[in-house]
Amino acid sequence: MIELEGKSVFSGVAIGPIAVFVKGDTTVRRESIDDPEAEIARYHEAKEKAKDQLQVLYEKALKEVGEESAFLFQSHQMMLDDLDYVEGVENIIRTQKTNAEYAVATTGDNMAELFAMMDDAYMKERAADVKDITNRVVGILSGAGATGMNATEPSILLADDLAPSETVQLDKSLVLSFVTRHGSTNSHTAILARTMNIPALIGVDYPEDVEGKMAIVDGAIGKILIDPDEATLSSYRKKKEEEEKKAALLQELKGKENVTKDGRKINLYANIGGVKDVASVLENDAGGIGLFRSEFLYLESDGYPTEEEQFTAYKKVAELMAGKKVIIRTLDIGADKQVDYFELDKEENPALGYRAIRICLTRQDVFKTQLRAIYRASHYGNIAIMFPMIISLDEVKKCKNMAELVQRELDAEEIPYGDVELGIMIETPAAVMISDELAKEVDFFSVGTNDLTQYTLAIDRQNPKLDDFYDSHHPAILKMLKMIVDNAHAGGAWAGICGELGADVSLTEEFLRMGFDELSVSPSMILRVREAVRNTDLS
C-alpha cells in the first residue's frame, strides 16, 4: 500500500479505481507562413470558437454549481478579447511571419509569466487563467487530441493540475474525487470542487503508473492510499457508510427548529450569489438569506445594471423566499472582484484599496440606483440592506442619508416599499473597536470573518504560502467576536456571522454562548450546523 499526503480542498471519503486525467497534445511547433493576414484571420476564428465553448461551459456551470462559480467562464471569454493579448498575438504573426499556434502560445506564456511575477496573490492566480485560455485556443488551432478522463465507472481522478474549464466538463457521475499535484486551496478549481461536493486533495506527488489501481481518498486528513490492503479497505468502507448514514440523518432535520437542548434559538440563514442559488437555499431548508452578494449582478453584466434589471432580480428572490428574510449586501466591487467598465485604477494592495462602500460613497449614482432597486423590491418580501467594509460612524450616517433620500423620492413618485432593516458588515478591526457606537445607528451587524481574520492577522488569505499561518480560531478573532455581539446587544442591534467561520461546527457552541442571533452559511452546510445547534446544551 502506498500512502501519500496532500492538502485537503474538500472533506469526505472516496473509494474506487484511479483514472488519470489525460491532456490533449498541445506541443507547439514554430512554422513560417507566407500570408500573415490569413493566419491572423485563422487565429480570430479559433478565438471565437473558444468563446463559444466557454459560453457552453458557463451555461453548464450555471445549472450545476451556481452563478458565483460560473462567472469564471465569462471572465475567460473577456480575457480572450483583452486588447494586450490580441495585439500581442497579431504582432508576433506579422513581425515574425509565424503560425498562429506559436504566436498564441508565446503570448500566453509571456502574459502568464508577468502575472506570476506580481506580488498580489489574486493577480498571481490569473496566470493559471491565461494558461487555460491559451491552451484552449492552441488546442483548437492545432486540432489537439481529446482531453479528459478515460473511465467507464466512478473513479478517483488524478491529474497534474486541473484547469477550471476541465473541472466543470467532468462527468460528475464518474468522478468520486480528484487529486492533483499542483493548485492552491483558494484557486477557482478548488472553489468549484467544494461547490460540487467532491472530496479533493492538492499537492500530492503521486507515481506515474497508477491507472486502474484501487485507491482511497480521505479528505478529512488529506491522504490518498493506493493499493490498500483488505483491512484498510474494510475500515474505510465502514467509515464511508457511517458518513452516508449521517448525511441521510441530516435530511431528517428538515423542518426542525434551530434550538439547543436547553431552549436557546438561533436563526440559520444561507449565503447566495444570485437568483439561481435560491433553489439550494430552499432545498436545504434555510430560514432566510443572510448574505445576497449583489455584486454578481455587476460582474455578470457588460455594463452597469439598470435599476429595472436589479429590481427584477431582488424582487424574484424576495418572492421565492416567501416572507423569509433576505439580506442584500450592497455592491462589494474591488479587491479580488474587478469589473472592467468601472475603470478602477490598478492598486498595489487592492484588499486595502478602493472597494465596496468606498466606491458607493464616491459613485453615488451607482449607489442610489442600487438602493432604489432594493427598496422597490422590498414591497414584495422581507428585505434588509447591509453595507460592507464599514470603518467609521461617518460612513454609516452617509449610507443612511442616501437611504432616506431614496425613500423620499419613492414617496414622491408614489412607489411602495417595505419596512427595510439597515445593517453593516463588521470586517475590520476599526469597526470592531467602535462597534458600541455603530450599534446605535443600525438594526444589525453581520460579521465577515474572512476579511476580519485577514485584516486582524495581517495575512493575505488568498496566498497559499500563508495557509499554515492563517488561523481563524486565533484568540484575537474570538475576543473580537464576543466584543461585537456584546456591543450589538447593548446598542439595541442583533448580530450574526456570514463569513465561512459561521459554518465551522467546532465553534457552533461557542458562537451560541457568545450570544450570536444568526449564522449565515453556504446552503449545503445548513443542516450540519442545525445538527450542531440541536446537540448543544448551554445550561
Side-chain angles (χ1 to χ4, degrees), residues 175-197:
V175 181
L176 299 171
S177 166
F178 75 70
V179 177
T180 65
R181 288 195 176 103
H182 306 294
S184 78
T185 54
N186 289 309
S187 67
H188 289 300
T189 305
I191 293 168
L192 281 170
R194 287 191 286 264
T195 306
M196 293 163 66
N197 294 324

Side-chain angles (χ1 to χ4, degrees), residues 442-500:
V442 298
D443 298 302
F444 66 93
F445 289 162
S446 189
V447 187
T449 54
N450 304 351
D451 271 336
L452 182 60
T453 303
Q454 170 176 242
Y455 296 138
T456 302
L457 302 185
I459 285 178
D460 183 350
R461 62 189 174 94
Q462 296 197 54
N463 187 339
K465 292 181 180 178
L466 300 177
D467 283 351
D468 292 338
F469 298 93
Y470 185 89
D471 178 14
S472 56
H473 290 216
H474 193 288
I477 303 301
L478 299 180
K479 286 182 179 180
M480 283 183 166
L481 292 175
K482 178 60 175 166
M483 183 187 297
I484 291 164
V485 72
D486 286 347
N487 284 339
H489 291 164
W494 61 265
I497 295 176
C498 65
E500 288 186 16

Side-chain angles (χ1 to χ4, degrees), residues 79 85 104-118 122-135:
M79 288 177 77
Y85 190 95
V104 171
T106 302
T107 301
D109 286 346
N110 291 340
M111 290 192 72
E113 186 177 349
L114 282 176
F115 279 119
M117 290 169 61
M118 293 181 180
Y122 173 79
M123 298 308 290
K124 283 179 181 288
E125 293 285 356
R126 303 290 68 75
D129 293 332
V130 172
K131 289 178 182 177
D132 195 8
I133 64 167
T134 298
N135 289 339

Side-chain angles (χ1 to χ4, degrees), residues 132-404:
D132 195 8
I133 64 167
T134 298
N135 289 339
R136 180 175 296 278
V137 177
V138 169
I140 293 169
L141 286 166
S142 62
T147 296
M149 59 183 289
N150 183 24
T152 56
E153 61 178 314
S155 305
I156 292 169
L157 183 62
L158 269 60
D160 188 57
D161 197 2
L162 283 170
S165 57
E166 293 167 338
T167 305
V168 79
Q169 290 181 84
L170 297 174
D171 183 344
K172 287 189 291 183
S173 67
L174 296 178
V175 181
L176 299 171
S177 166
F178 75 70
V179 177
T180 65
R181 288 195 176 103
H182 306 294
S184 78
T185 54
N186 289 309
S187 67
H188 289 300
T189 305
I191 293 168
L192 281 170
R194 287 191 286 264
T195 306
M196 293 163 66
N197 294 324
I198 299 174
L201 307 178
I202 60 172
V204 178
D205 189 17
Y206 60 85
E208 293 295 332
D209 189 21
V210 292
E211 180 82 39
K213 291 184 177 180
M214 182 60 67
I216 300 168
V217 172
D218 188 336
I221 60 174
K223 285 187 178 181
I224 178 171
L225 311 174
I226 300 173
D227 270 342
D229 54 53
E230 278 304 317
T232 304
L233 267 175
S234 177
S235 173
Y236 268 98
R237 282 176 180 141
K238 287 179 182 177
K239 185 175 180 179
K240 186 168 175 59
E241 284 176 13
E242 289 170 3
E243 284 189 351
E244 290 170 350
K245 286 178 182 177
K246 187 173 181 180
L249 286 172
L250 284 177
Q251 295 301 308
E252 296 178 10
L253 290 175
K254 288 183 177 180
K256 301 287 179 69
E257 284 191 304
N258 310 305
V259 59
T260 63
K261 290 181 177 180
D262 58 307
R264 167 75 199 285
K265 292 184 180 180
I266 191 168
N267 289 318
L268 282 186
Y269 294 166
N271 301 334
I272 68 168
V275 178
K276 286 184 169 55
D277 294 339
V278 175
S280 186
V281 173
L282 298 174
E283 181 185 349
N284 287 282
D285 196 33
I289 293 170
L291 172 60
F292 182 161
R293 300 181 179 94
S294 68
E295 59 269 16
F296 286 96
L297 294 173
Y298 295 78
L299 289 165
E300 293 161 5
S301 178
D302 293 331
Y304 295 100
T306 65
E307 178 182 323
E308 206 62 34
E309 289 170 339
Q310 294 187 65
F311 163 69
T312 300
Y314 304 144
K315 173 176 176 283
K316 187 169 184 179
V317 172
E319 289 175 335
L320 287 169
M321 291 305 292
K324 293 180 179 179
K325 189 179 290 292
V326 177
I327 301 176
I328 299 174
R329 179 175 69 188
T330 56
L331 179 64
D332 191 7
I333 290 294
D336 60 338
K337 288 170 283 192
Q338 297 289 327
V339 181
D340 288 344
Y341 57 84
F342 270 75
E343 298 181 345
L344 302 179
D345 294 333
K346 185 183 181 306
E347 297 178 296
E348 290 298 320
N349 197 337
L352 301 179
Y354 185 56
R355 57 173 295 196
I357 205 64
R358 298 164 187 175
I359 292 177
C360 290
L361 292 177
T362 53
R363 298 283 299 274
Q364 294 193 6
D365 54 333
V366 175
F367 193 28
K368 183 178 173 184
T369 297
Q370 180 173 36
L371 289 179
R372 281 182 58 92
I374 296 174
Y375 269 100
R376 286 175 58 197
S378 70
H379 178 65
Y380 301 88
N382 182 8
I383 286 180
I385 298 174
M386 179 162 66
F387 304 113
M389 280 296 291
I390 294 295
I391 64 167
S392 71
L393 203 58
D394 183 58
E395 289 174 345
V396 175
K397 290 179 178 179
K398 286 179 178 176
C399 290
K400 290 175 69 176
N401 288 340
M402 181 60 78
E404 289 168 4

